[in-house]
C-alpha cells in the first residue's frame, strides 16, 4: 500500500507539474503575442498602425519594409530588436517627431531614404555590422549633425559630420545638420554617392579631391546655399543633375580634363558661371547652354575657410 500511495503521489506530482508548465507556456505565448498595431508578414514588419510615443518593435522582426512607419507623427523613439537585419527604402521617412534611433549590431543594410525628412532626429547610433547603405539616408534631417558609429564597425565611419566607408574612399552622405559652410574632400575619397550633399543648406564652398574622376548624378542637387565648387584636374565627367536646384551657385571650376557634362547638370542654377580654360570642353558646353564663362575666380576656397 505504501508503494502504491507513493507511486500515485508521484504520478499526481508529474501531472501537476505538467499543468503548471503548460500554463506557463500559454502565458509566455500571450506575453509574446504581437499587437494588432503591427502588420507582419512572417518576420517582416509591413506596417505600423499605432500611436505610441516609444515604439518597441516585435522581437521576431528581421526586416522592416518600405514605408512601414512613413508619415507617423506620434513616435519619438523606436526600440529596434536584436536580430533585425534590414530596413528598407523610406521605412522611417517623414516622421515629424522621431528624435532618437539605435541600430542594433544585427542590422547590415539600410535602404535609400530610410530616415529622410525626420526633422527632429538628432541622435543616431550605428552598430558594428552595418555595411550597406543607400543614398539619402538622412536627407532633410536638419538637426542631425553627427552619427555615432560602433568602434567595432569595419565598414562605415562618420568624421566631421560626413558618412564615409571605413577607409574613407567612398563619401556616402554629408549630414544636413553639419554647421560648417565649407568642405574640402579628403584625398582618400575616390567615389561619391548620388545625392551625397542633398539638402546641406549650410554648405557654401567645396573643393573636390584629386581622386574623384566622376561627379555622380544628383551629387550636389538641392544644396540651396552652395556658392562655389572646385573640381580637380583629374575629373573627367559630370553626370545628370549633379548641381540641380543649387539656386545660389555662382561659380564652378571645371578643368580641361572634363570631357563630358550632362545636359541637365546645371538645371535650376540661374546664376552659375563656369571657370575654365580657353578652348576647353567646358567652354564649349557653356557656350551651347548660354552659361557665362569666367577666366579668374570670384571666390577662393582658402578665403572661404576663414569665414567660419
Amino acid at each position: 500500500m505504501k508503494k502504491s500511495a507513493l507511486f500515485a503521489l508521484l504520478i499526481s506530482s508529474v501531472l501537476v507539474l505538467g499543468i503548471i508548465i503548460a500554463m506557463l507556456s500559454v502565458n509566455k505565448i500571450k506575453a509574446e503575442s504581437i499587437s494588432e498595431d503591427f502588420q507582419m508578414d512572417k518576420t517582416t514588419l509591413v506596417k505600423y498602425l499605432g500611436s505610441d510615443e516609444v515604439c518597441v518593435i516585435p522581437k521576431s522582426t528581421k526586416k522592416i519594409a518600405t514605408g512601414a512607419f512613413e508619415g507617423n507623427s506620434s513616435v519619438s523613439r523606436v526600440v529596434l530588436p536584436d536580430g533585425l537585419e534590414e530596413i528598407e527604402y523610406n521605412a522611417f521617412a517623414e516622421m515629424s517627431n522621431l528624435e532618437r534611433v539605435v541600430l542594433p549590431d544585427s542590422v547590415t543594410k539600410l535602404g535609400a531614404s530610410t530616415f529622410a525628412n525626420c526633422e527632429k532626429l538628432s541622435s543616431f547610433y550605428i552598430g558594428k555590422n552595418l555595411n550597406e547603405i543607400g543614398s539619402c539616408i538622412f536627407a532633410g534631417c536638419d538637426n542631425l549633425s553627427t552619427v555615432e558609429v560602433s568602434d567595432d564597425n569595419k565598414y562605415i565611419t562618420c568624421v566631421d559630420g560626413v558618412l564615409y566607408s571605413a577607409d574613407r574612399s567612398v563619401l556616402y552622405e554629408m549630414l544636413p545638420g553639419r554647421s560648417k559652410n565649407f568642405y574640402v574632400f579628403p584625398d582618400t575619397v575616390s567615389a561619391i554617392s548620388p545625392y551625397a550633399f542633398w539638402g546641406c543648406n549650410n554648405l557654401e564652398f567645396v573643393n573636390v579631391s584629386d581622386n574623384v574622376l566622376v561627379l555622380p548624378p544628383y551629387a550636389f542637387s538641392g544644396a540651396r546655399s552652395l556658392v562655389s565648387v572646385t573640381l580637380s584636374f583629374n575629373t573627367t565627367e559630370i553626370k545628370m543633375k549633379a548641381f540641380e536646384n543649387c539656386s545660389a551657385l555662382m561659380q564652378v571650376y571645371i578643368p580641361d580634363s572634363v570631357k563630358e557634362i550632362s545636359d541637365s547638370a546645371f538645371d535650376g542654377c540661374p546664376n552659375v558661371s563656369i571657370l575654365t580654360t580657353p578652348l576647353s570642353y567646358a567652354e564649349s558646353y557653356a557656350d551651347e547652354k548660354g552659361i557665362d564663362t569666367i577666366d579668374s575666380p570670384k571666390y577662393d576656397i582658402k578665403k572661404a575657410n576663414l569665414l567660419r
Side-chain angles (χ1 to χ4, degrees):
M1 289 292 294
K2 291 182 179 179
K3 288 183 179 180
S4 298
L6 182 61
F7 182 73
L9 180 60
L10 181 60
I11 293 297
S12 299
S13 299
V14 171
L15 290 172
V16 170
L17 182 60
I19 292 170
I20 292 172
I21 291 173
M23 291 177 65
L24 288 173
S25 298
V26 170
N27 288 336
K28 184 178 180 181
I29 290 170
K30 289 181 179 179
E32 292 181 351
S33 64
I34 296 173
S35 164
E36 292 181 357
D37 288 341
F38 298 96
Q39 291 185 349
M40 303 291 297
D41 180 5
K42 298 178 180 178
T43 60
T44 298
L45 172 53
V46 176
K47 191 69 176 177
Y48 175 66
L49 302 174
S51 57
D52 292 335
E53 183 176 347
V54 178
C55 176
V56 180
I57 293 175
K59 293 180 180 179
S60 61
T61 305
K62 299 295 183 184
K63 180 189 291 186
I64 299 176
T66 297
F69 285 79
E70 187 174 4
N72 184 293
S73 60
S74 301
V75 177
S76 64
R77 185 164 72 92
V78 290
V79 180
L80 303 175
D82 293 331
L84 178 66
E85 298 171 358
E86 180 180 353
I87 304 176
E88 292 187 333
Y89 169 77
N90 257 32
F92 294 94
E94 308 286 346
M95 294 180 68
S96 57
N97 284 302
L98 184 64
E99 298 175 357
R100 183 171 183 266
V101 175
V102 175
L103 292 186
D105 289 337
S106 55
V107 175
T108 61
K109 181 178 180 180
L110 293 181
S113 304
T114 322
F115 296 91
N117 297 319
C118 292
E119 56 192 35
K120 289 187 178 180
L121 185 63
S122 59
S123 176
F124 199 95
Y125 174 84
I126 291 175
K128 69 179 182 180
N129 290 313
L130 183 67
N131 60 73
E132 184 177 347
I133 62 176
S135 58
C136 277
I137 298 293
F138 300 112
C141 299
D142 292 343
N143 282 300
L144 191 65
S145 59
T146 190
V147 166
E148 183 181 358
V149 181
S150 169
D151 292 337
D152 296 322
N153 190 302
K154 299 177 181 179
Y155 313 101
I156 293 170
T157 189
C158 184
V159 180
D160 191 24
V162 182
L163 282 176
Y164 304 94
S165 58
D167 62 0
R168 295 175 74 180
S169 64
V170 180
L171 191 161
Y172 292 124
E173 184 173 4
M174 177 176 283
L175 301 176
R178 183 181 183 272
S179 61
K180 294 179 180 177
N181 76 333
F182 64 91
Y183 176 67
V184 178
F185 277 59
D187 291 337
T188 52
V189 174
S190 59
I192 310 169
S193 291
Y195 298 96
F197 296 90
W198 177 274
C200 292
N201 294 322
N202 295 320
L203 187 64
E204 297 178 24
F205 304 93
V206 173
N207 256 15
V208 179
S209 70
D210 291 342
N211 292 315
V212 175
L213 305 184
V214 177
L215 208 59
Y218 301 93
F220 293 96
S221 180
R224 295 195 304 266
S225 298
L226 191 62
V227 172
S228 175
V229 175
T230 301
L231 303 181
S232 82
F233 289 104
N234 295 320
T235 307
T236 61
E237 185 176 356
I238 301 173
K239 294 285 192 178
M240 62 181 290
K241 297 184 181 295
F243 297 97
E244 180 191 37
N245 294 332
C246 293
S247 54
L249 188 62
M250 299 291 289
Q251 167 187 295
V252 178
Y253 172 66
I254 303 178
D256 57 13
S257 58
V258 172
K259 302 302 180 184
E260 187 172 347
I261 305 174
S262 168
D263 287 342
S264 62
F266 295 97
D267 282 1
C269 301
N271 303 306
V272 68
S273 296
I274 291 177
L275 172 63
T276 190
T277 54
L279 305 179
S280 66
Y281 174 85
E283 184 181 62
S284 299
Y285 173 88
D287 289 343
E288 180 182 339
K289 298 296 178 184
I291 298 174
D292 289 340
T293 56
I294 52 177
D295 55 13
S296 60
K298 296 179 181 179
Y299 304 96
D300 185 337
I301 187 67
K302 293 178 181 179
K303 293 179 180 179
N305 289 351
L306 302 176
L307 295 177
R308 296 296 293 181

